[in-house]
């Protein structure tokens, strides 16, 4: 457009030069009519030239049009690979929260594939009782007050390995030391300390319902191998299983952020065996656990739980042993602190609710994720 106007301007200038009055020669006599006509035509051309120059200036001052924008890709609902990566990273961050880590410890949530978690544990258990018993002193029966104290320290290493197909392998390796003391009327006492490996546990867990469905569910099968022979007496059972057993359990999780309700139902079938020619048939055990985990912050969670277990009576050669079964119960609470993205600190305490349970328990754990 600008080029065509410049061409027109050039043509007008050439025309003006052609029509311009020639210089009057000495021997020529110009005509008055001719001069007036030429002057009028010059004035017209000057006005047209001024108009063209003004138009050219306005064209040159106008901004150049911006280049056309490339067409944008239409928005679609198709998930891109980058979206999946960001979602996976977000899920991994969630797993580092104290609430999620506590759920893994409770068995209500499984580790992702190829993730390993080592959990050193330490527990201290205490039980004391006082009663009157008839003792023989110098061949004569004597009524005496008996004070019994029972203390146990248990160190254990728990191992969890995340497997494909939403499964997880568990392994527990405990070691315990137990001290028992008996004092009769303050006159004489007896004390005994034993130590050794506790019952080893191997478990396989599978996610039956994902927690995202509103009600998560995990199934578990666990084989329990008895520990050292020094733990065969009934009063040390809280720290070591006395017989081989196969345990099946079902854990469920109900999320109502920032609270997660957890529960578990278990059944352990003890294996019969023969000892010194006698058939020993231990009673089976049914367990029930319910509790809640409360997220106080992304790095701190509070856990409250109630655990009950009923053990059947033991039979020897078909004869029921009185007092060998019973109900044990414990109420526990604790906190979990995220020390780093891979390290969690757990602190808990429990109070026994029945005579067969320890009076109280305190424990520490340090799950480390790899």
């Amino acid at each position: 457009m600008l080029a065509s106007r410049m061409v027109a301007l050039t043509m007008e200038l050439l025309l003006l030069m052609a029509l311009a009055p020639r210089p009057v020669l000495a021997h020529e006599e110009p005509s008055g009519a001719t001069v007036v006509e030429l002057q009028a035509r010059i004035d017209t051309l000057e006005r047209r030239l001024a108009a063209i120059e003004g138009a050219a200036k306005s064209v040159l001052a106008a901004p150049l049009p911006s280049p056309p924008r490339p067409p944008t890709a239409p928005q679609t609902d198709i998930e891109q690979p980058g979206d999946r990566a960001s979602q996976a990273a977000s899920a991994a961050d969630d797993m580092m929260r104290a609430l999620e880590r506590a759920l893994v410890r409770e068995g209500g949530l499984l580790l992702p594939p190829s993730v390993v978690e080592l959990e050193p544990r330490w527990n201290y258990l205490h039980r004391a009782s006082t009663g009157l018993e008839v003792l023989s002193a110098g061949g004569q029966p004597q009524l005496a007050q008996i004070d019994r104290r029972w203390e146990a320290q248990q160190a254990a290493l728990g191992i969890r390995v995340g497997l494909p197909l939403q499964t997880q392998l568990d392994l527990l390796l405990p070691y315990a030391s137990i001290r028992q003391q008996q004092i009769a009327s303050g006159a004489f006492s007896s004390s005994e300390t034993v130590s050794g490996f506790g019952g080893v546990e191997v478990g396989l867990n599978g996610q039956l319902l994902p927690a995202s469905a509103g009600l998560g569910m995990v199934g578990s099968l666990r084989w329990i191998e008895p520990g050292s022979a020094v733990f065969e007496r009934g009063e040390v059972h809280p720290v070591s299983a006395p017989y081989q057993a196969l345990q099946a359990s079902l854990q469920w999780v109900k999320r109502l952020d920032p609270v997660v309700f957890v529960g578990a139902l278990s059944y352990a079938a003890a294996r019969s065996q023969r000892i010194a020619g006698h058939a020993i048939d231990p009673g089976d055990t049914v367990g029930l656990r319910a509790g809640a985990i409360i997220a106080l912050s992304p790095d701190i969670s509070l856990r409250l739980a109630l655990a009950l277990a009923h053990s059947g009576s033991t039979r020897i050669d078909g004869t029921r042993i009185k007092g060998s079964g019973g109900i044990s119960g414990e109420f526990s609470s604790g906190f979990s602190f995220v020390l780093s993205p891979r390290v969690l600190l757990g602190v808990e305490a429990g109070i026994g609710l029945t005579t067969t349970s320890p009076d109280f328990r305190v424990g520490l754990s340090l799950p480390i994720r790899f």
Side-chain angles (χ1 to χ4, degrees), residues 263-313:
L265 180 64
S266 63
Y267 181 85
R271 181 181 178 184
S272 302
Q273 54 184 304
R274 296 190 68 86
I275 300 178
H278 298 279
I280 309 297
D281 186 12
D284 297 341
T285 302
V286 179
L288 177 65
R289 187 176 77 251
I293 302 175
I294 306 171
L296 303 181
S297 74
D299 296 332
I300 304 175
S301 66
L302 169 65
R303 170 187 170 273
L304 304 171
L306 174 65
L308 299 172
H310 177 269
S311 299
S313 299

Side-chain angles (χ1 to χ4, degrees), residues 201-246:
E201 301 181 13
V202 180
L204 181 64
N205 310 288
Q207 189 83 45
L208 303 181
L209 288 177
S212 58
L215 180 65
M217 191 171 296
V218 174
S220 174
L221 282 177
R222 192 174 301 271
W223 175 257
I224 304 173
E225 188 70 23
S228 175
V230 299
F231 295 143
E232 290 180 354
R233 293 184 300 278
E235 58 266 27
V236 299
H237 289 177
V239 296
S240 178
Y243 305 104
Q244 291 179 333
L246 179 63

Side-chain angles (χ1 to χ4, degrees), residues 9 35 232 272 336:
L9 178 60
V35 173
E232 290 180 354
S272 302
S336 295

